[in-house]
């Protein structure tokens, strides 16, 4: 029997709206159940199927500003006219909980840049659509938004893609299973990074000296 625990990994998953981040995040959670999903705070109104505390912590603008004032966020940004932030408490809770092997952040490039500045060993992945035509088709296929919002999201997608340089990995979501394999590969490779396994190597050396 092995008592080996997977090293703790902080993984940012970002993409232009419609590229498939939600789909791929769900698959990642099924594959790596010990990796927690970070629940952000937002001033956006909940969509019909969203649950407070599970999808987001839904707060008012005043509550959000109060949290910013208390330095409660490790990062926060305005996206599509609403405020979104990742609380420090969310990461600390995951780090202190036994058996939790990391955290996935579904945040935009502004948040990715801020987290990386504070936590340098964070790993960031940007999901790309195979083409802009396919991106538009997927955005329309979701059918949950008005034409005006759709056009705004499409323009915002171009702005997001312009910032691909902030990310460590680019995963193309053409065929979903292939994209998932690449994403899974990133997680497995990053778990084996020397810095994440150094503690074990040092422990083995100490045991060998007894
Ligand atoms: P995001 O979270 O990035 O906005 P979603 O995961 O909600 O994107 O995907 C947007 C739409 O595209 C959804 O209807 C989803 O089922 C579909 N989709 C996701 N990945 C693929 C893919 N590889 N091929 C075809 N359709 C996809
Ligand atoms: P949505 O409103 O569709 O759930 O999310 C809109 C955008 O906000 C997505 O690009 C998502 O990644 C981003 N987002 C969600 N939570 C956070 C967060 O805590 N911080 C930042 N910077 N962006 C976030």
């Amino acid at each position: 029997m092995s008592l080996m625990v997977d090293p703790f990994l902080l993984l940012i998953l970002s993409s232009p709206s419609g590229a498939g981040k939600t789909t791929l995040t769900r698959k990642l959670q099924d594959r790596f159940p010990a990796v927690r999903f970070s629940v952000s705070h937002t001033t956006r109104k909940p969509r019909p199927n969203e649950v407070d505390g599970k999808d987001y912590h839904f707060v008012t603008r005043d509550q959000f500003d109060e949290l910013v004032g208390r330095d409660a966020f490790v990062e926060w940004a305005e996206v599509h006219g609403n405020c979104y932030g990742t609380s420090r408490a969310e990461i600390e809770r995951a780090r202190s909980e036994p058996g939790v092997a990391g955290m996935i952040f579904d945040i935009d490039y502004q948040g990715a840049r801020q987290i990386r500045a504070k936590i340098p060993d964070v790993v960031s992945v940007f999901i790309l659509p195979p083409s802009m035509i396919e991106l538009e088709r997927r955005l329309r296929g979701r059918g949950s938004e008005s034409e005006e919002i759709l056009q705004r999201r499409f323009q915002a997608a171009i702005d997001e893609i312009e910032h691909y340089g902030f990310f460590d990995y680019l995963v193309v979501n053409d065929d979903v299973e292939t994209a998932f394999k690449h994403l899974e590969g990133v997680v497995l490779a990053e778990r084996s990074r020397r810095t994440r396994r150094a503690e074990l190597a040092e422990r083995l050396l100490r045991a060998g000296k007894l």
Side-chain angles (χ1 to χ4, degrees):
M1 232 274 279
S2 164
L3 292 177
M4 268 294 302
V5 237
D6 290 315
F8 197 83
L9 183 69
L10 296 176
L11 181 73
I12 295 174
L13 217 54
S14 214
S15 80
S17 189
K21 188 178 46 188
T22 309
T23 309
L24 290 166
T25 305
R26 285 206 187 109
K27 288 176 81 67
L28 261 189
Q29 284 184 289
D30 289 345
R31 169 67 180 83
F32 300 109
V35 176
R36 282 287 152 78
F37 179 78
S38 166
V39 181
S40 297
H41 285 70
T42 184
T43 60
R44 171 168 75 61
K45 296 276 167 286
R47 295 185 184 128
N49 56 341
E50 287 179 329
V51 178
D52 187 30
K54 182 171 168 278
D55 297 289
Y56 281 106
H57 299 290
F58 294 99
V59 292
T60 63
R61 184 62 205 241
D62 281 350
Q63 287 170 321
F64 195 93
D65 289 346
E66 199 257 326
L67 288 164
V68 171
R70 280 203 278 128
D71 198 25
F73 293 123
V74 64
E75 66 77 31
W76 70 272
E78 201 176 312
V79 189
H80 310 312
N82 291 299
C83 291
Y84 296 83
T86 306
S87 75
R88 294 178 192 280
E90 190 76 11
I91 303 179
E92 278 154 23
R93 212 175 305 127
R95 272 198 200 279
S96 61
E97 211 175 302
V100 174
M103 194 152 227
I104 302 173
F105 303 92
D106 169 351
I107 61 176
D108 83 327
Y109 69 89
Q110 306 174 78
R113 184 173 49 184
Q114 292 173 51
I115 291 200
R116 177 187 262 168
K118 288 173 188 157
I119 312 173
D121 83 334
V122 71
V123 177
S124 56
V125 178
F126 191 64
I127 315 284
L128 286 172
S131 68
M132 294 313 276
I133 289 175
E134 174 63 10
L135 179 68
E136 190 178 352
R137 196 190 67 75
R138 288 183 195 168
L139 277 174
R140 288 190 185 282
R142 271 198 319 205
S144 60
E145 276 129 352
S146 69
E147 183 64 26
E148 191 203 331
I149 291 180
L150 238 147
Q151 286 305 326
R152 230 190 304 147
R153 293 226 158 188
F154 193 71
Q155 282 310 311
I158 297 166
D159 184 45
E160 284 271 331
I161 295 171
E162 268 174 1
H163 294 89
Y164 75 89
F166 287 144
F167 296 86
D168 300 314
Y169 295 92
L170 302 179
V171 168
V172 181
N173 182 19
D174 189 352
D175 169 64
V176 73
E177 291 307 324
T178 307
F180 179 67
K181 261 191 216 151
H182 284 249
L183 208 49
E184 184 184 33
V186 168
V187 173
L188 295 176
E190 287 291 342
R191 279 183 172 175
S192 299
R193 190 174 278 281
R194 186 188 68 232
T195 45
R196 294 201 179 86
R197 287 295 188 203
E199 202 187 310
L200 172 65
E202 293 298 327
R203 230 185 312 133
L204 293 174
L205 285 174
R206 279 197 301 277
K209 279 181 193 144
L210 292 178

